Amino acid sequence: MLMGVMTTHTTDCEHCGQPTGLGAFCCSGCEMAHAMINRLGLGRYYDRRTLDPALAAPKPDTPAMDFSALAVPAGDGIQRLHLMVEGLHCAACVWLIEAVLAQQPGVVAARLNMTTRRLRLEWRAGEATANDLVGAIQALGYRVMPYDPVRLADQRSQGGRALLRALAVAGFAAGNVMLLSVAIWAGHAQDMGPATRDLLHWVSALIALPAIAFAGQVFFRSAWTALRARRTNMDVPISIGVILAAGMSLLETMQGGPHAYFDSAITLLFFLLIGRYLDARARGRVRGAAEHLLALQSGAVSVLAEDGSVRLLPARQVQPGMRALIARGERLCVDGIVRQGRSDIDTALITGESLPRLAEPGLQLHAGTLNLTAPLTVEVTAVGEGTLLAEIVRLTEVAEQGRAAHVALADRVSRRYAPVVHLLALITFLGWVTLGGMAWQPALMIAVAVLIITCPCALALAVPAVQVLASGRLMRQGILLKSATALERLTGIDRVVFDKTGTLTLGRPVLLDIGDIPDDALTLAASLAAASRHPLAQALAQAAPPVPALPGVTEVAGCGLECGSIRLGSRRWLGLDAAEDSATGPELWLSRPGAAPVRFRFTDRLKIDAGDVVARLQARGIKVSLLSGDRAAVVAGVAAAVGIIDFQAECLPEAKVEAIQHWIAAGERVLMVGDGLNDAPALAAATVSLSPSSAADISQNAADIVFQGDRLAPVLEALDVARRADALVRGNFAIALGYNILAVPLAMAGFVTPLIAAAAMSSSSILVILNALRLNRQRAS
């Protein structure tokens, strides 16, 4: 991000080694990763100054399968591999895997998305192998397999059903054990005999213990995997609490004691599973959308062979350059260019536009596009991970896994919470036994209540729940986040700066007054223009009826086209009066023997909602400016048409950057909306940037957010979603922190039972998720 101020670097980041200012770390992400690695006893792997290659990482396991064949070249000697990682339960898992992989020899990039569980690995060939890197992950206790969208969807469905089964078993057992507990509680007031009480305790144990063993597997397995790798996660205190409550109750029952809390243990598990299931459902909404997009590429393609025969091939076997037949009603599995046929196509999955558009020879199509009315022949240009559809999913994953300020705060607090949770529970137990004179059994139950009620699940969900839903909502409308911090930076924008061509306008010249042009002149000019790729020539050829290109046409650079004595080009080249040169828009002139010159005027039409978007921005108190490199008269006309008062014309890229830096220096937060390729310096200089981009430009432009389509409404939608997401995140923090401030002292004081603790902890997580889900129910204003 260009900020106009040069910083003197005095130190290097202690984690990644990048130059930083006076601080020890270049970013909060490095600070968190460094603290976690040291806490887990892996610090010896991360001293970049004295790194011993023999200690570069934990000793990798040998993978059960060979992953080398799945790696693909990415250019410049780089190998790329997409994997699916199972066993992720919190953000700490992502940090640990990324941090360990970053220290492997030759690794260039390692990015893991918690929502889709996809790991993207890049490394230098010769310095590492795919099996070495996979083994390093497996050594941490995670399962690794090749990335398969269909398999991922199946596993997510299986995981959801397993959670639901566990929830049903826990709920059934909790209801029955609670009935027995009511009988025991009533018996205490009515002089129930010890034999009857012990019998009810044993019946409760027979119901609760098998249910706990089955329903608690999701927590127990995660905790065991973490402890085997000498680390902790949120499932560790949960598992300890459930096992302590159940174990102590069984011991008391075997000894004929009065203190049995099977009802608390199983009901605790029931409420925890409710929170886990709702969290999985919330993440599944966005994960399901991404999986659906990727699954669209896993179908079969009808490939046209050189002999005219048609073969049905899986999409993964199709190669660029092949010709595919796309039937009416069929959805494309590959990217390609239309070579034959005309049809209406539905591009809603790609652009968010609801209206079909016409596909004709030369048009670029993308995987996920639906062919509506007639067959098409398409030349394949990209398949699999090279398609736009795969790029959209990657951008969405990047948006979900970023290290925004809110994320850094929540993650830092959640990570440091684990040792605090165990310490508070131990202090509570010892305090009640030694200072309060309480028996160890009830003191242990108070400690269990503290252990459960202080679990930072709600705080850990505060940001991710909103972030995942926000990126999913924008993705469904053709708005792609390339930076995870973009939404956070969009809040509080003071000024929106627009580029003109391709931003406020369509960026495509259109022939004006076609009805006033003689037919013979239009036909002749079109036959000349058909031989050129100049934008004005192409616009003229498209406006005229189809005509063949005139043979023998020569293109004179900077002047125009000529064929013998016939010329189509600029006024100056044709020898016309230069003083009358048009100041209002581009033009071409046709000169032919025996006839007066004919003028063809063009315009770049405004986007249909440009004026409305500018007016709505101004109504919100946001300043709107226009910076353009075009001529002053043209820029003034566009500014007047859309209602922008502050505009500058004939701006070079450096002038745009200077203007943006001036506004930022004055304390304004600036949003730049411009073409992602030629406005890269201005986009980088702004506080945050958006780019209307053709599909082919998505991965190339410098903007933080890319939106599809020929409208500017996505600018308002992004601002609205950012504002609402920020409000929801703050609300989630208030819920999570308020809950802990109120509940922890009550639990330590003994006023909260494990049952109430489980209900309170799960309720706080559910409230956070329900609050985040409001984002999908709110409409942009």
Side-chain angles (χ1 to χ4, degrees):
M1 178 78 62
L2 272 172
M3 299 303 293
V5 179
M6 184 65 70
T7 302
T8 302
H9 300 296
T10 57
T11 62
D12 289 342
C13 175
E14 292 185 10
H15 181 68
C16 70
Q18 295 296 320
T20 181
L22 298 178
F25 301 98
C26 65
C27 65
S28 59
C30 284
E31 180 183 0
M32 289 185 288
H34 190 79
M36 169 171 281
I37 295 306
N38 288 336
R39 183 170 293 110
L40 297 178
L42 302 176
R44 64 186 183 277
Y45 307 136
Y46 292 88
D47 188 348
R48 303 185 73 261
R49 300 169 181 81
T50 60
L51 187 62
D52 183 352
L55 297 177
K59 184 178 179 181
D61 290 345
T62 302
M65 66 173 292
D66 184 11
F67 286 84
S68 301
L70 302 176
V72 296
D76 298 328
I78 302 297
Q79 292 285 307
R80 179 179 297 157
L81 180 62
H82 291 271
L83 299 169
M84 185 165 63
V85 181
E86 285 296 317
L88 302 178
H89 292 282
C90 64
C93 302
V94 176
W95 300 329
L96 184 63
I97 292 173
E98 289 183 351
V100 168
L101 287 173
Q103 298 304 316
Q104 299 294 319
V107 171
V108 176
R111 299 298 290 168
L112 175 59
N113 182 270
M114 183 175 174
T115 300
T116 60
R117 304 193 291 276
R118 175 156 68 165
L119 172 64
R120 185 171 182 266
L121 264 176
E122 291 184 357
W123 69 94
R124 288 184 289 273
E127 297 186 34
T129 68
N131 291 333
D132 291 339
L133 301 179
V134 170
I137 304 171
Q138 293 177 338
L140 297 174
Y142 298 95
R143 299 180 300 279
V144 182
M145 59 197 70
Y147 188 77
D148 183 351
V150 177
R151 184 174 183 179
L152 178 59
D154 291 341
Q155 290 198 348
R156 182 173 68 87
S157 178
Q158 293 174 6
R161 290 194 297 269
L163 271 177
L164 201 55
R165 284 194 299 269
L167 183 61
V169 169
F172 174 81
N176 284 276
V177 173
M178 189 61 67
L179 289 175
L180 294 171
S181 297
V182 170
I184 295 174
W185 299 335
H188 283 306
Q190 300 175 9
D191 298 325
M192 174 187 289
T196 305
R197 183 197 63 202
D198 291 346
L199 175 61
L200 294 178
H201 280 169
W202 276 112
V203 174
S204 298
L206 290 175
I207 298 174
L209 293 179
I212 290 172
F214 175 79
Q217 291 183 47
V218 63
F219 302 106
F220 301 154
R221 286 176 177 172
S222 171
W224 177 244
T225 299
L227 293 174
R228 278 176 50 192
R230 291 181 295 178
R231 61 185 181 88
T232 61
N233 59 18
M234 293 181 187
D235 290 335
V236 172
I238 289 174
S239 300
I240 292 175
V242 172
I243 292 172
L244 279 178
M248 189 270 287
S249 299
L250 179 60
L251 179 63
E252 280 290 292
T253 300
M254 294 172 64
Q255 295 177 349
H259 303 290
Y261 301 96
F262 294 111
D263 54 346
S264 296
I266 188 60
T267 309
L268 163 66
L269 199 57
F270 176 60
F271 281 112
L272 292 171
L273 285 167
I274 291 176
R276 181 63 59 90
Y277 180 72
L278 289 177
D279 174 45
R281 286 291 300 273
R283 287 188 172 273
R285 291 191 180 186
V286 174
R287 186 189 301 158
E291 289 169 1
H292 173 65
L293 289 178
L294 286 174
L296 294 176
Q297 301 177 97
S298 60
V301 180
S302 299
V303 176
L304 183 63
E306 294 182 359
D307 60 2
S309 61
V310 178
R311 292 184 300 157
L312 198 64
L313 294 179
R316 63 180 179 274
Q317 296 183 12
V318 178
Q319 299 295 324
M322 291 183 174
R323 295 214 168 191
L325 298 179
I326 312 301
R328 173 184 175 185
E330 183 179 354
R331 197 177 292 274
L332 275 73
C333 302
V334 297
D335 286 1
I337 299 175
V338 178
R339 293 306 183 196
Q340 185 176 346
R342 291 166 61 91
S343 176
D344 293 320
I345 57 172
D346 180 356
T347 61
L349 279 176
I350 306 299
T351 66
E353 295 288 338
S354 58
L355 295 178
R357 61 177 299 187
L358 178 65
E360 50 191 353
L363 182 68
Q364 176 76 50
L365 299 182
H366 300 279
T369 300
L370 179 63
N371 183 21
L372 296 175
T373 56
L376 293 172
T377 300
V378 174
E379 181 180 340
V380 177
T381 58
V383 297
E385 290 297 324
T387 63
L388 170 67
L389 209 56
E391 180 67 18
I392 289 175
V393 174
R394 281 195 292 271
L395 294 180
T396 304
E397 292 175 352
V398 167
E400 292 175 17
Q401 65 191 30
R403 304 291 190 259
H406 287 327
V407 178
L409 174 62
D411 291 345
R412 186 182 296 114
V413 173
S414 297
R415 188 185 69 251
R416 293 176 180 175
Y417 230 60
V420 174
V421 166
H422 298 92
L423 183 61
L424 283 177
L426 180 61
I427 291 173
T428 301
F429 175 74
L430 294 177
W432 277 106
V433 171
T434 59
L435 301 179
M438 182 180 288
W440 71 270
Q441 295 94 336
L444 182 61
M445 294 310 298
I446 294 176
V448 168
V450 173
L451 199 64
I452 298 303
I453 208 166
T454 53
C455 183
C457 295
L459 190 60
L461 288 171
V463 181
V466 176
Q467 197 172 26
V468 167
L469 291 168
S471 60
R473 170 172 172 163
L474 293 175
M475 184 186 72
R476 289 191 296 271
Q477 301 191 36
I479 305 171
L480 308 175
L481 300 178
K482 296 193 68 178
S483 168
T485 64
L487 282 181
E488 197 169 286
R489 285 180 278 136
L490 268 178
T491 58
I493 287 296
D494 303 301
R495 182 185 297 269
V496 176
V497 179
F498 287 101
D499 178 42
K500 181 183 74 69
T501 304
T503 304
L504 290 175
T505 67
L506 294 173
R508 299 188 294 269
V510 178
L511 182 63
L512 292 175
D513 305 324
I514 189 170
D516 298 333
I517 302 173
D519 291 341
D520 60 336
L522 180 61
T523 301
L524 179 59
S527 64
L528 285 168
S532 173
R533 296 187 59 83
H534 190 280
L536 294 184
Q538 291 184 337
L540 194 157
Q542 291 173 2
V547 293
L550 198 65
V553 176
T554 302
E555 185 162 5
V556 181
C559 298
L561 303 164
E562 64 178 351
C563 182
S565 58
I566 304 173
R567 286 187 172 185
L568 177 69
S570 67
R571 176 192 295 267
R572 295 175 182 272
W573 187 49
L574 270 61
L576 303 177
D577 188 357
E580 298 180 7
D581 194 6
S582 171
T584 59
E587 63 178 10
L588 290 175
W589 285 83
L590 175 66
S591 171
R592 50 188 173 163
V598 178
R599 182 189 186 192
F600 300 89
R601 294 194 309 116
F602 300 86
T603 186
D604 188 1
R605 297 190 187 279
L606 290 172
K607 291 186 174 178
I608 190 170
D609 62 345
D612 178 63
V613 169
V614 169
R616 293 173 66 181
L617 288 172
Q618 293 170 337
R620 300 181 183 187
I622 299 175
K623 303 170 187 175
V624 181
S625 302
L626 171 59
L627 300 179
S628 176
D630 210 340
R631 292 169 295 173
V634 177
V635 176
V638 170
V642 298
I644 296 178
I645 299 175
D646 180 19
F647 64 90
Q648 298 179 34
E650 302 180 5
C651 289
L652 295 175
E654 295 83 358
K656 293 184 180 182
V657 171
E658 290 176 3
I660 291 173
Q661 289 178 343
H662 171 75
W663 287 318
I664 292 177
E668 295 184 1
R669 296 172 60 86
V670 179
L671 164 63
M672 175 68 190
V673 186
D675 183 275
L677 297 175
N678 54 26
D679 279 331
L683 292 169
T687 307
V688 63
S689 54
L690 282 85
S691 174
S693 177
S694 65
D697 299 333
I698 283 181
S699 62
Q700 303 172 19
N701 73 57
D704 297 305
I705 303 174
V706 176
F707 61 90
Q708 297 289 297
D710 290 334
R711 294 176 179 266
L712 285 175
V715 176
L716 294 174
E717 175 69 11
L719 288 170
D720 285 334
V721 170
R723 174 174 54 83
R724 287 176 173 144
D726 183 70
L728 291 174
V729 165
R730 294 178 186 275
N732 281 350
F733 275 137
I735 292 172
L737 295 177
Y739 152 77
N740 282 281
I741 291 172
L742 178 65
V744 173
L746 292 176
M748 295 184 70
F751 296 117
V752 178
T753 66
L755 174 60
I756 297 175
M761 191 273 288
S762 296
S763 297
S764 66
S765 299
I766 293 170
L767 283 175
V768 164
I769 295 172
L770 292 177
N771 187 50
L773 288 172
R774 292 170 52 208
L775 185 66
N776 280 346
R777 294 195 296 268
Q778 294 172 327
R779 297 185 61 84
S781 61

